[in-house]
Amino acid sequence: MSISTPLPGRGTRFLNRLHARLARRHGSARGFVSQPEPRSIGSFARGRQMVAGKLLFAGYLVESHDTGLWDVTSPAPEFEAERQGFAWLDDLAAVGDARARDHAQRWLWGWIAAYGGGKGPGWTPDLTGRRVIRWINHAVFLLRGQDDAARDAFHGALARQAWFLSKRWHSAPPGLPRFEALTGLIHVGLTLRDSEDLADPAVRGLNRECATGIDGQGGLPTRNPEELLEILTLLTWAGAALHDAGRGVPHEQAAAIERIAPTLRTLRHVDGGLARFHGGGRGIEGRLEHALAASHTRQRRADGMAMGYVRLSAPRTSVIVDAAPPPTGEASYNAHASTLAFELTSGRRPLIVNCGSGASFGPEWRRAGRATPSQSTLGLGGFSSARLAKPRRRQGREALIDGPADVPTEMTDTPDGSRVQAAHDGYLRDFGLTHARSLTLSPDGRTLTGEDMLLAVEEADRRRLDRAVDRAGRAGIRFAIRMHLHPEVEITSEPGAAAVSLVLKSGENWVFSHDARASLSLEPSVYMQFGRLKPRPTRQIVLAGWVTDHATRVRWTLSRAEGAIALRDLHRDDGPDDE
């Protein structure tokens, strides 16, 4: 999972440490009410990597063949957070053999010995919630062959973490961190004997978060599709825990699931992966399907609009467009300057993508991934449609500011297909220009027709543009329409040609062409993918030109060649790095 959250402030860190130490007084438990069932899904490939001594957390690879997990020096806070959160237990459980179980047991009881007394960086509400969910999910896997002393240590550590969560869940930031803390407390409260009284406040708290944190259309302020998937997963897990305990799912929780599921279906491409916007990735393999199945909700948003995105779909083709203002305030710490960017997927193969979040590759890649040139949209004068603020003191997180405020959007069905027309004012202040984009997907899904316009609409806008052109010089202001290609797309193009052939691994052949009002070039790009050691090199199509007038228009087309449909397309190289 490629989602990061702000670091807690000094006062919050102090209180977390205090309650972690006080938790040592609450270390007794008499085992489980009933045998827990595993719910979370891991990666077999990543599990095999760990068994082989390769620890790949948050994009950092550490070789550890002879030392224990907790003896490894952490190269970055993100590595430490992923290590302390124990989501890697899902991967070891996916392998499930004796060697994987031996690693899981040694590393878990190693944590109890090193940190179970209330020490270390893992005592935050969100990491503790994430950790206890995995301990409970995989309890049968972990406790197999253990003696009574080890079992007592395991249950006692769970009891201490449950007490800590009961005191500190409210300090977790709103959104995914708080949902993790509350769901963890519900799990441990309903699973450990004599702990049910801890679950009741958490159930009420989760109900409130569902009412206030999920909007009426099933969206989040962060507009991060993968974060929304993680929250739906947590809600379905909490619902299953309540059902196993003989309880019903509270109304607000059930209503939130019913709102979220159609939104996620709308944000899912035809290959089953999520659209990659605002810090989110495609989602952990299999998690979206399981969460949607557990939601028992089959609808998609009927109007094709969800959480500020527009979905155009036809047989075998999906186009998802960011058609709303970017997040603001604390919700924007992972947001991208991606207004009017789009992604296109054909069958099981992504074609046009955004570069994605670089958070797992360090701060420089993270900042680069948030800029407009890393999105499949138009950039102007070397500027992004929104900019990054100075990092907040100590937290090191940059909010997205000065982004588009007005993004009018209209969807229509025409004889040519489904069309979205949208515009944004992100370049109005500096250049007096409004970027307008029209995308039309044909009924058979074979053709996407695009038109990008830069318009100085009002007289004041024209004067501002004239001044900007005068400052830029005779050539005018450079614009660039970028379309980043997935790394598996093969490109053929003749020098100076007005068209580019794009061949997918499935055998499909797409052709990009344009109206020659801009110059076409192929330039290097990157595809930043969680679970990889480094960004994957790829290419991007760039249509560049110069703004010298009050109206600039460029038309382009992506067309699938006749007969280019793959009947069998089973393999996709989209998993963790094997390096």
Side-chain angles (χ1 to χ4, degrees), residues 38 74 79 92 196 208 287 335 337 370 378 415 452 526:
S74 172
F79 181 99
L92 289 176
E196 193 168 356
R208 287 193 298 271
R287 181 159 293 179
R370 300 178 70 186
L378 179 145
D452 284 285
V526 294

Side-chain angles (χ1 to χ4, degrees), residues 121 243 332 345 490 501 552 570:
H243 180 269
S332 72
T345 296
E490 295 183 8
S501 178
T552 302
L570 303 179

Side-chain angles (χ1 to χ4, degrees), residues 34 68 120 194 262 420 454 508 553:
S34 60
D194 304 323
V420 56
L454 288 166
E508 290 184 0
R553 175 177 297 172

Side-chain angles (χ1 to χ4, degrees), residues 27-157:
S28 60
R30 296 191 300 112
F32 292 131
V33 174
S34 60
Q35 180 171 295
E37 293 290 334
R39 307 190 195 281
S40 45
I41 305 163
S43 164
F44 179 83
R46 292 193 69 192
R48 289 290 299 272
Q49 284 179 345
M50 283 187 280
V51 171
K54 297 179 179 179
L55 307 178
L56 178 58
F57 297 151
Y60 296 89
L61 177 65
V62 176
E63 300 278 352
S64 176
H65 297 282
D66 302 320
T67 59
L69 176 64
W70 310 109
D71 298 325
V72 171
T73 301
S74 172
E78 295 81 8
F79 181 99
E80 186 62 41
E82 194 168 327
R83 175 166 64 171
Q84 292 279 341
F86 271 74
W88 45 263
L89 264 182
D90 296 343
D91 305 322
L92 289 176
V95 177
D97 61 15
R99 289 186 65 199
R101 182 168 52 251
D102 177 67
H103 279 71
Q105 290 173 338
R106 285 192 291 111
W107 291 352
L108 183 140
W109 273 274
W111 186 93
I112 294 174
Y115 306 113
K119 300 178 182 178
W123 288 86
T124 64
D126 54 330
L127 290 179
T128 304
R130 191 183 310 169
R131 186 167 55 243
V132 299
I133 290 171
R134 267 63 186 194
W135 286 24
I136 293 169
N137 276 352
H138 304 300
V140 174
F141 176 67
L142 292 166
L143 293 174
R144 182 175 178 181
Q146 297 299 303
D147 58 22
D148 289 343
R151 289 172 176 266
D152 289 344
F154 177 81
H155 292 132

Side-chain angles (χ1 to χ4, degrees), residues 246-554:
R247 297 185 174 203
V249 177
H251 169 73
E252 289 294 351
Q253 182 180 336
I257 291 172
E258 291 178 359
R259 296 197 304 273
I260 292 172
T263 293
L264 283 173
R265 290 185 187 279
T266 303
L267 301 179
R268 181 175 61 170
H269 280 294
V270 290
D271 68 340
L274 286 171
R276 301 164 72 245
F277 286 97
H278 294 296
R282 291 173 49 84
I284 294 174
E285 189 72 24
R287 181 159 293 179
L288 179 58
E289 289 79 3
H290 281 79
L292 291 175
S295 75
H296 304 294
T297 302
R298 298 187 177 277
Q299 291 81 15
R300 199 164 62 198
R301 296 290 171 200
D303 58 2
M305 303 181 72
M307 205 164 73
Y309 300 95
V310 169
R311 186 180 198 271
L312 305 177
S313 60
R316 294 181 53 81
T317 307
S318 60
V319 177
I320 298 178
V321 189
D322 184 353
T328 58
E330 293 187 358
S332 72
Y333 286 137
N334 293 314
H336 293 191
S338 59
T339 311
L340 302 195
F342 77 97
E343 292 190 322
L344 184 151
T345 296
S346 178
R348 289 175 52 83
R349 300 288 169 173
L351 175 59
I352 305 297
V353 296
N354 297 304
C355 291
S357 172
S360 62
F361 306 115
E364 295 302 322
W365 281 113
R366 182 175 181 273
R367 281 191 288 270
R370 300 178 70 186
T372 297
S374 296
Q375 327 301 324
S376 290
T377 187
L378 179 145
L380 187 61
F383 288 77
S384 287
S385 58
R387 65 184 181 89
L388 299 179
K390 291 183 179 180
R392 290 186 61 175
R393 188 168 177 262
R394 291 185 176 274
Q395 292 190 356
R397 299 304 175 110
E398 301 142 316
L400 199 68
I401 60 174
D402 296 339
D406 186 20
V407 187
T409 303
E410 181 178 284
M411 281 193 70
T412 55
D413 288 323
T414 73
D416 296 326
S418 301
R419 176 178 298 164
V420 56
Q421 294 173 297
H424 77 78
D425 59 355
Y427 300 120
L428 194 61
R429 184 185 62 180
D430 293 319
F431 300 102
L433 288 169
T434 296
H435 174 210
R437 168 167 272 185
S438 173
L439 299 172
T440 303
L441 183 64
S442 62
D444 60 4
R446 288 183 172 273
T447 302
L448 178 69
T449 303
E451 182 178 58
D452 284 285
M453 294 176 286
L454 288 166
L455 306 170
V457 180
E458 305 292 341
E459 184 60 35
D461 302 337
R462 294 168 185 157
R463 290 195 297 269
R464 187 178 297 134
L465 173 61
D466 291 341
R467 290 193 296 270
V469 171
D470 289 342
R471 290 193 301 270
R474 182 179 301 178
I477 303 166
R478 188 177 188 271
F479 69 84
I481 302 168
R482 301 177 185 274
M483 297 178 201
H484 298 272
L485 303 172
H486 190 272
E488 294 182 358
V489 177
E490 295 183 8
I491 308 167
T492 57
S493 174
E494 296 294 331
V500 178
S501 178
L502 308 171
V503 182
L504 306 184
K505 288 283 188 179
S506 63
E508 290 184 0
N509 184 13
W510 287 74
V511 176
F512 177 85
S513 59
H514 64 107
D515 62 3
R517 295 187 181 183
S519 60
L520 171 66
S521 62
L522 294 171
E523 298 181 5
S525 181
V526 294
Y527 184 76
M528 292 183 282
Q529 180 181 339
F530 180 72
R532 292 273 175 168
L533 293 178
K534 55 185 179 293
R536 299 173 67 183
T538 184
R539 306 289 294 279
Q540 59 177 310
I541 298 169
V542 181
L543 287 177
W546 302 90
V547 177
T548 58
D549 202 351
H550 297 156
T552 302
R553 175 177 297 172
V554 178

